[in-house]
Amino acid sequence: MMKTFCGRTNPTSGALDWVESEEDYHQEIARSCYADMLHDHDRNEKYYQGIRAAVARLKARDERVVVLDIGTGTGLLSMMAITAGADFSYAVEVFKPMAEAAQCIIQKNGFSDKIKIINKHSTDVTVGPDGDMQEKANLLITELFDTELIGEGALPSYEHAHQNLVQEGCEAVPHRATVYAQLVESELLWSWAQLQSMEVEGARLVPPPAIGHCAGAHSVCDIQLSQVPPACFTPLSPLCTMFSVDFSKPVSSASQSHSSKFVAQSGGRAQVVLSWWDLDMDPSGTIVCTMAPSWMYPQPTMAPWRDHWMQSVYFLPVESQVAPGDELSLTVCHDDYSLWYSLQSLSQKEVQSESPPSRPCCTCQAHLVWTRPRFGELNDRRRTESYVSALRNVLSEDSVCLSVSDGSLLPVFARMLGAKKVFSLENSRMSKKVIEQVLEANSMTGGVELLEIRPEQLSSQDVGEEQISILMGEPFFSSSLLPWHSLSFWYRRTAVAGLLRPSVTILPCSASLHMVAVEFQDLWRIRAPCGTCEGFDVTPMDEMVQRSLDFRESREAEPHPLWEYPCRALTQSAAVMTFDFTRCVPQQPISSQGSLPFIRNGRCHGVALWMEMHLTDDITVSAGLTRPITEQGDCEWTRHRKQGVYFFRSPWESSGDGRTAVSYSFTFEPSLGDIKMDFSQCTSVSD
């Protein structure tokens, strides 16, 4: 067992701490996407079909089949190749824990004499009598792709392989990749890219010009696009074929651009590009593995589910108006690791220079401070109305407010509502600058004082000897991962207790932790045991690796944006812990126990957990469910925050008659700022 250092959010301080972990590398494997890939039967089947066809073509030419498998993972694709008749495979895996696991797997399945694991990056592999490979390969098999296709360095790896590791005219599986894109207008998606104007008590809060003119962050927004209904966007273009890469021929990692001309099929605001890709596993394109979202299928329910490859959303640098019939050109550019898009009318394109658009870069800093879900949260009108209503209820003309959230607009709202003075603690200089821009754009620089200081360092001199009458927070903290990390607000409230008036108003006044037992439609696959792959007679998981994937022994929840992962509630939802922010953080642990009867039949994969903030006695903001669970158990989750998911080691069967229940135990440890939890299946108390 080796010790490792892991980054963990410290809720008591809001900082990221590096802690020594006693867990061995099995945990590293468990938290990767290997289980998801091994459960992707469509992917496995298409790869196996392509490999068998490629081996057959080489054998038909009387060639000895030598495989180079880059990014072998568990060794599955190499084992497929040997089973299909290949003579030998060099399986390259740079991630040491996975390379060691792959060695055990191929040994267990009897392939040790025909597969060599090479624990290196493929660009460091050598060929020759004393090299890692004795000879160059004539069959190149790879799984180097991410949601953006090239984000894991596929192009440099292919370029090096063709120059150094494979024969000229080799076969490749996959043979070809093709990238597709569609231009759309979408109020929902665009809200993730730009801060929008909003109404506050009859006054308009406008975004700073610098944010509106900024091209935004260059990184891809990868999501389960199948969960964005077609009603949420308007297609302005047909589906465009942007470019293809033939992996059987030399590949260049140099920056390139490709354009697709089209006639606008409808009018609207050109804002967003939806993109995905296909893999042709054979030269004829008869074996295709597509990443298209489910609504592109004639029968959406037949679309394969996968989480290791999703779809991409790209935001144009600026939105532009498009009329039906406009002749346009959509351009995609890429370097060796990322893609970006731009739009031109054909008349504009003729007079513009031939140099491709440069990669978008944030110049306003807001896109570095706020994530895309955070932009969506700030633009959520209903949520804004809740905070404004709560502030209106507690503010008076002599109110002195202190905000302890990260990059929050609450100080701006408080000033607009007439607070005498507003102080705001900002976690970074960059965050402070962004809020300063908002204040300047709305001519409010004199009423809000931004302090780049930690709560425990705040003194009465910093707030002008004023006593704080309203302490507020959303609460949002950029370092938070799990829902209860928002309890950092409680610790900050405690740190500044000496500066608060005896009659201080705390907003939110309390919070509650909620849970519901659920059956996931697909998310369960990422933590499900992996046995024999369907349609292929090898076991990709041996006992060691299976233990890796069964990481739930650690009794920890993990964060997931559940709006992307449909689930069905098998119990009622319930508040299982409450936290009173009007008091300081207690020194002793807080515990809660109980049970929730199963009221619907199904397979219970685990528990969903979220926080609800009670701004006042009658105004609550949920970071989980956005509406009551339906009679069928359907859940609707906020798109702005991740929820906690605690997976059970194996699914529990529920008959839905209330005879069995989920028994829970929660303990909040004030010294750690964390919540320990345990669940078990029991006979319902009501039985």
Side-chain angles (χ1 to χ4, degrees):
M1 181 180 294
M2 64 180 181
K3 292 183 178 181
T4 58
F5 287 89
C6 303
R8 292 184 183 273
T9 296
N10 184 341
T12 67
S13 64
L16 184 68
D17 292 343
W18 291 96
V19 297
E20 188 177 66
S21 173
E22 293 288 344
E23 299 171 350
D24 59 21
Y25 63 68
H26 296 98
Q27 298 296 316
E28 298 182 60
I29 301 173
R31 296 183 186 277
S32 67
C33 292
Y34 290 107
D36 173 33
M37 289 187 285
L38 292 170
H39 279 292
D40 188 346
H41 301 312
D42 178 72
R43 163 193 176 272
N44 297 338
E45 180 184 6
K46 299 296 174 55
Y47 259 102
Y48 195 28
Q49 290 176 359
I51 289 170
R52 284 187 299 181
V55 171
R57 289 193 297 272
L58 290 169
K59 291 292 186 182
R61 300 199 292 264
D62 292 327
E63 294 185 33
R64 182 173 181 270
V65 181
V66 179
V67 176
L68 172 61
D69 174 11
I70 302 179
T72 193
T74 63
L76 178 61
L77 300 184
S78 283
M79 291 188 288
M80 286 182 176
I82 299 302
T83 302
D87 296 282
F88 197 82
S89 178
Y90 295 99
V92 181
E93 175 57 52
V94 68
F95 183 38
K96 185 176 181 180
M98 202 66 239
E100 293 178 359
Q103 187 67 59
C104 295
I105 292 168
I106 65 169
Q107 183 175 356
K108 178 175 180 178
N109 285 278
F111 292 101
S112 297
D113 59 335
K114 290 195 173 185
I115 299 176
K116 178 183 178 182
I117 300 294
I118 303 173
N119 180 208
K120 287 185 176 182
H121 194 284
S122 65
T123 55
D124 295 325
V125 172
T126 57
V127 179
D130 299 321
D132 303 299
M133 300 171 59
Q134 297 299 300
E135 58 189 314
K136 288 188 175 182
N138 58 355
L139 174 53
L140 177 58
I141 300 174
T142 58
E143 210 287 48
L144 296 171
F145 315 113
D146 67 348
T147 293
E148 204 172 15
L149 182 67
I150 65 173
E152 291 185 1
L155 295 181
S157 296
Y158 272 112
E159 185 175 48
H160 177 270
H162 276 286
Q163 292 174 350
N164 301 278
L165 307 178
V166 298
Q167 300 174 18
E168 184 178 355
C170 70
E171 295 282 348
V173 179
H175 178 82
R176 179 189 308 109
T178 304
V179 174
Y180 303 93
Q182 187 170 41
L183 179 69
V184 305
E185 173 186 355
S186 174
E187 182 178 353
L188 167 65
L189 299 178
W190 190 244
S191 72
W192 299 350
Q194 293 289 347
L195 185 64
Q196 300 169 358
S197 62
M198 57 190 77
E199 294 286 336
V200 179
E201 292 291 285
R204 179 168 291 275
L205 180 68
V206 298
I211 296 179
H213 298 152
C214 180
H218 70 270
S219 58
V220 65
C221 176
D222 54 338
I223 62 172
Q224 291 283 358
L225 201 53
S226 297
Q227 300 308 314
V228 178
C232 290
F233 58 87
T234 301
L236 305 180
S237 77
L239 186 63
C240 301
T241 301
M242 299 307 302
F243 68 93
S244 294
V245 182
D246 186 337
F247 298 125
S248 69
K249 298 177 180 178
V251 172
S252 172
S253 62
S255 298
Q256 298 181 31
S257 64
H258 310 269
S259 295
S260 179
K261 299 177 182 179
F262 64 91
V263 175
Q265 61 186 41
S266 59
R269 293 171 297 163
Q271 299 168 325
V272 176
V273 176
L274 311 181
S275 184
W276 57 87
W277 44 267
D278 289 349
L279 292 177
D280 290 333
M281 296 297 183
D282 64 327
S284 65
T286 57
I287 307 170
V288 182
C289 186
T290 179
M291 305 307 120
S294 61
W295 35 259
M296 287 294 295
Y297 282 72
Q299 295 180 287
T301 57
M302 300 301 293
W305 183 87
R306 47 178 68 97
D307 202 47
H308 53 104
W309 296 329
M310 294 187 280
Q311 295 80 38
S312 301
V313 174
Y314 298 90
F315 303 98
L316 293 178
V318 293
E319 65 175 345
S320 57
Q321 196 67 34
V322 169
D326 281 355
E327 295 183 342
L328 303 170
S329 176
L330 184 64
T331 298
V332 61
C333 304
H334 71 79
D335 52 21
D336 49 350
Y337 280 93
S338 60
L339 308 178
W340 60 95
Y341 284 84
S342 62
L343 180 71
Q344 305 89 19
S345 70
L346 290 184
S347 58
Q348 288 176 329
K349 192 172 177 64
E350 289 172 0
V351 299
Q352 289 176 347
S353 65
E354 291 300 318
S355 59
S358 59
R359 183 167 67 177
C361 178
C362 176
T363 55
C364 71
Q365 299 189 13
H367 299 91
L368 306 179
V369 170
W370 294 327
T371 63
R372 291 180 177 111
R374 179 61 172 159
F375 267 101
E377 187 169 58
L378 294 172
N379 288 324
D380 187 327
R381 294 183 181 88
R382 181 178 299 179
R383 183 177 178 278
T384 295
E385 289 170 2
S386 294
Y387 280 99
V388 170
S389 296
L391 282 170
R392 188 197 314 117
N393 290 344
V394 301
L395 275 173
S396 63
E397 60 183 13
D398 65 344
S399 293
V400 177
C401 305
L402 174 62
S403 173
V404 291
S405 283
D406 290 350
S408 174
L409 297 180
L410 283 188
V412 184
F413 297 159
R415 182 58 181 167
M416 293 178 75
L417 291 169
K420 172 186 172 183
K421 185 67 177 178
V422 182
F423 299 95
S424 179
L425 304 189
E426 293 299 330
N427 68 325
S428 69
R429 187 162 300 173
M430 191 180 299
S431 178
K432 179 182 176 184
K433 183 175 180 180
V434 170
I435 302 302
E436 283 175 344
Q437 291 181 64
V438 175
L439 293 169
E440 184 177 350
N442 291 275
S443 303
M444 294 166 50
T445 53
V448 179
E449 187 170 345
L450 306 178
L451 305 172
E452 190 184 341
I453 190 172
R454 297 196 59 79
E456 60 272 17
Q457 299 170 330
L458 190 68
S459 68
S460 58
Q461 288 78 19
D462 296 313
V463 294
E465 304 298 335
E466 298 269 15
Q467 276 198 309
I468 305 301
S469 59
I470 298 177
L471 178 71
M472 58 189 181
E474 299 188 38
F476 171 83
F477 304 103
S478 57
S479 61
S480 296
L481 296 176
L482 289 161
W484 42 94
H485 290 168
S486 60
L487 293 176
S488 290
F489 175 78
W490 205 4
Y491 291 88
R492 297 187 183 197
R493 175 258 184 271
T494 302
V496 300
L499 304 176
L500 308 180
R501 292 181 186 176
S503 59
V504 65
T505 296
I506 309 294
L507 190 157
C509 59
S510 63
S512 51
L513 175 66
H514 292 246
M515 67 164 274
V516 63
V518 297
E519 175 184 48
F520 284 109
Q521 180 175 303
D522 294 296
L523 187 62
W524 60 270
R525 301 174 192 273
I526 69 171
R527 296 292 175 255
C530 300
T532 301
C533 278
E534 186 175 305
F536 181 62
D537 191 21
V538 302
T539 303
M541 290 287 120
D542 70 350
E543 182 179 353
M544 179 190 71
V545 183
Q546 188 57 62
R547 180 159 56 91
S548 303
L549 294 171
D550 194 15
F551 77 99
R552 286 145 289 179
E553 289 288 352
S554 62
R555 300 298 185 190
E556 291 184 352
E558 54 188 88
H560 290 284
L562 291 185
W563 75 269
E564 296 185 57
Y565 305 105
C567 62
R568 227 176 109 250
L570 301 182
T571 66
Q572 293 180 336
S573 64
V576 293
M577 294 195 84
T578 57
F579 309 92
D580 184 359
F581 296 154
T582 64
R583 300 177 181 274
C584 292
V585 176
Q587 294 184 349
Q588 299 302 315
I590 302 173
S591 296
S592 173
Q593 296 83 33
S595 62
L596 290 177
F598 285 111
I599 59 174
R600 299 180 185 89
N601 65 337
R603 305 191 78 199
C604 182
H605 298 111
V607 169
L609 302 144
W610 68 98
M611 297 291 285
E612 294 191 359
M613 295 294 158
H614 309 292
L615 307 185
T616 62
D617 291 339
D618 56 355
I619 301 177
T620 294
V621 173
S622 174
L625 291 173
T626 58
R627 62 178 57 184
I629 296 168
T630 68
E631 186 176 344
Q632 294 74 31
D634 297 328
C635 302
E636 182 179 294
W637 303 94
T638 178
R639 293 186 175 97
H640 310 319
R641 300 281 182 106
K642 292 182 179 181
Q643 292 71 46
V645 177
Y646 185 104
F647 287 102
F648 298 151
R649 187 179 307 175
S650 57
W652 300 351
E653 297 297 332
S654 165
S655 61
D657 58 7
R659 293 180 179 274
T660 57
V662 179
S663 175
Y664 60 83
S665 174
F666 292 92
T667 301
F668 171 68
E669 297 283 355
S671 61
L672 302 175
D674 204 2
I675 296 178
K676 303 299 182 183
M677 61 193 69
D678 191 29
F679 303 92
S680 61
Q681 192 172 17
C682 66
T683 301
S684 174
V685 175
S686 62
D687 186 32

